């Protein structure tokens, strides 16, 4: 789950047949993990990392030791209430003299026992409980924060809506700063040093004015320098809005007003208005949750960046 982001029901359904390989034109062979249709009823393929391949190989090696093949078992699907055919399930165990497929409840109990063992060695984890979905969220966060486009992450996770993937990803301010600084350093390497001159006082005034115009009721706008508002000041729906923690109460007021408007729209039969209000409520609640998470996190002191010395003239 940690290295694949699969759901718990998808994990229990993995079989030896789920492992495929793809050979590129240059001869490189890529191991693939095929996830059977489950929640979205769509099959998807995950290229296996070295860590995931090691885990899968260890499971197969344990089942096939002493030259035997993986036992063929039937699995009962608790959602569809049907039994599967005889398949070589990867996650199975022997109870007495009978081989059985590991259930979702067994996985939950195994994670709980590992949490208890971790708490014995590290007391700080005594109040922490991990769920299978936590590992899916960690997988999604690392994908996006490592630079993978979020729509690719959505495909790997099996999300039909990219907004669902956004809710899984935890993007921290220090990650944004680190990636942006790396981007600036790379861009400067590609441009001649003569282009980096000292800014004039008029340019600095224009730069300061840009940040003054980014101040709005709920916080500040994160749009790039020199660009106007592209969303007609619909700040709640705009991904560029950074909500000030002091305005959390104002978000609650806006939510109450939107709910009243939705009740009126539902009574009048305004289907288009209801759809728009529901979208606004989704963005508002996401921004409120993100702001509350940032409020509970200590601030990071980035310090002042050093100012490089001006290049000396050639003699």
């Amino acid at each position: 789950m940690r290295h694949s982001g699969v759901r718990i029901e998808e994990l229990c359904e993995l079989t030896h047949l789920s492992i495929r390989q793809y050979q590129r034109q240059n001869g490189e062979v890529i191991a693939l993990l095929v996830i059977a249709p489950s929640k979205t009823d769509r099959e998807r393929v995950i290229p296996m990392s070295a860590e995931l391949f090691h885990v899968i190989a260890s499971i197969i090696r344990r089942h096939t030791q002493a030259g035997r093949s993986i036992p063929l078992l039937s699995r009962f699907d608790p959602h569809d209430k049907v039994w599967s055919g005889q398949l070589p399930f990867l996650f199975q165990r022997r109870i007495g003299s009978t081989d059985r497929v590991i259930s979702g409840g067994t996985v939950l109990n195994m994670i709980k026992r590992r949490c208890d063992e971790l708490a014995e060695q590290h007391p700080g984890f005594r109040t922490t409980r991990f769920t299978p979905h936590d590992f899916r969220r960690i997988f999604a966060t690392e994908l996006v924060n490592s630079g993978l486009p979020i729509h690719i992450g959505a495909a790997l996770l099996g999300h039909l809506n990219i907004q669902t993937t956004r809710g899984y990803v935890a993007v921290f301010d220090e990650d944004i700063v680190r990636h942006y600084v790396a981007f600036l350093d790379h861009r400067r390497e590609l441009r001649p040093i003569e282009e980096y001159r000292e800014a004039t006082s008029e340019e600095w005034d224009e730069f300061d004015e840009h940040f003054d115009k980014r101040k709005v009721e709920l916080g500040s706008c994160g749009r790039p320098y020199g660009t106007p508002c592209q969303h007609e000041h619909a700040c709640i729906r705009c991904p560029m809005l950074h909500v000030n923690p002091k305005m959390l109460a104002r978000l609650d007021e806006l939510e109450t007003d939107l709910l009243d408007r939705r009740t009126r729209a539902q009574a009048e039969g305004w289907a288009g208005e209801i759809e728009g209000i529901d979208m606004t409520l989704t963005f508002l609640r996401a921004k409120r949750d993100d702001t509350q998470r940032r409020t509970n996190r200590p601030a990071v002191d980035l310090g002042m960046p050093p100012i490089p010395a001006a290049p000396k003239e050639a003699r």
Side-chain angles (χ1 to χ4, degrees):
M1 290 186 291
R2 169 67 181 79
H3 296 295
S4 64
V6 296
R7 303 179 179 92
I8 186 170
E9 62 269 21
E10 295 170 341
L11 176 80
C12 297
E13 293 176 357
L14 289 177
T15 70
H16 200 181
L17 304 177
S18 303
I19 303 168
R20 311 284 177 83
Q21 66 179 27
Y22 168 73
Q23 186 171 1
R24 304 179 62 185
Q25 294 181 354
N26 60 3
E28 180 185 3
V29 177
I30 300 177
L32 304 175
L33 188 64
V34 180
I35 306 300
S38 61
K39 187 174 181 180
T40 58
D41 292 328
R42 293 181 61 186
E43 184 180 76
R44 67 184 191 276
V45 178
I46 300 176
M48 284 195 276
S49 63
E51 294 83 0
L52 178 58
F53 185 82
H54 173 73
V55 172
I56 296 295
S58 300
I59 294 173
I60 296 176
R61 190 181 303 113
R62 183 171 67 246
H63 287 315
T64 57
Q65 59 185 354
R68 67 169 189 163
S69 59
I70 299 179
L72 300 179
L73 302 175
S74 292
R75 174 183 176 273
F76 180 74
D77 191 319
H79 300 289
D80 296 334
K81 308 299 182 183
V82 296
W83 286 90
S84 70
Q86 296 284 322
L87 294 171
F89 288 99
L90 293 181
F91 292 93
Q92 57 176 274
R93 59 177 179 169
R94 171 158 292 190
I95 302 178
S97 60
T98 306
D99 293 318
R100 295 183 181 178
V101 181
I102 294 177
S103 65
T106 301
V107 176
L108 292 172
N109 291 333
M110 294 171 68
I111 294 177
K112 183 179 181 301
R113 287 197 297 269
R114 296 298 179 271
C115 290
D116 294 337
E117 294 173 2
L118 180 64
E120 292 179 359
Q121 300 178 5
H122 304 279
F125 286 91
R126 287 177 179 172
T127 58
T128 303
R129 287 293 179 266
F130 291 99
T131 67
H133 229 63
D134 290 332
F135 298 103
R136 182 170 168 84
R137 294 179 182 276
I138 293 173
F139 176 78
T141 299
E142 287 199 346
L143 283 181
V144 176
N145 287 352
S146 298
L148 187 74
I150 194 168
H151 67 279
I152 302 297
L156 293 175
L157 291 167
H159 288 157
L160 300 179
N161 189 343
I162 196 173
Q163 296 299 331
T164 305
T165 311
R166 292 184 185 276
Y168 275 59
V169 177
V171 180
F172 304 110
D173 289 348
E174 52 265 34
D175 294 325
I176 298 175
V177 173
R178 185 177 68 255
H179 286 293
Y180 188 64
V181 170
F183 163 75
L184 292 179
D185 292 340
H186 176 68
R187 188 176 66 177
R188 286 180 179 138
E189 292 176 357
L190 302 178
R191 302 182 68 88
I193 194 172
E194 300 84 41
E195 295 187 5
Y196 293 97
R197 58 175 179 79
E198 292 292 331
T200 64
S201 57
E202 291 80 8
E203 290 172 334
W204 275 117
D205 293 339
E206 182 184 355
F207 186 72
D208 291 337
E209 184 181 359
H210 162 77
F211 288 96
D212 290 336
K213 291 182 178 180
R214 296 203 314 180
K215 297 177 181 178
V216 293
E217 177 192 10
L218 296 175
S220 62
C221 176
R223 65 180 184 267
Y225 168 69
T227 60
C229 178
Q230 299 293 330
H231 301 91
E232 300 180 355
H233 299 282
C235 296
I236 287 295
R237 296 188 182 184
C238 180
M240 295 296 179
L241 174 65
H242 299 289
V243 178
N244 188 329
K246 297 180 180 179
M247 302 304 293
L248 284 172
R250 176 57 178 158
L251 289 181
D252 294 336
E253 295 176 2
L254 292 176
E255 182 182 28
T256 302
D257 179 67
L258 287 170
L259 292 175
D260 292 339
R261 288 173 51 193
R262 192 186 190 284
T263 302
R264 170 70 186 281
Q266 193 169 12
E268 298 290 345
W270 300 334
E273 185 73 11
I274 293 174
E275 183 179 358
I277 292 175
D278 286 342
M279 181 180 298
T280 303
L281 282 170
T282 300
F283 282 102
L284 183 148
R285 290 162 179 166
K287 283 182 170 55
R288 181 172 57 194
D289 293 343
D290 179 69
T291 304
Q292 290 174 341
R293 184 172 62 249
R294 289 189 289 108
T295 302
N296 297 329
R297 190 168 58 244
V300 178
D301 184 12
L302 299 176
M304 291 298 294
I307 301 177
K312 297 182 179 179
E313 297 182 357
R315 297 181 179 178

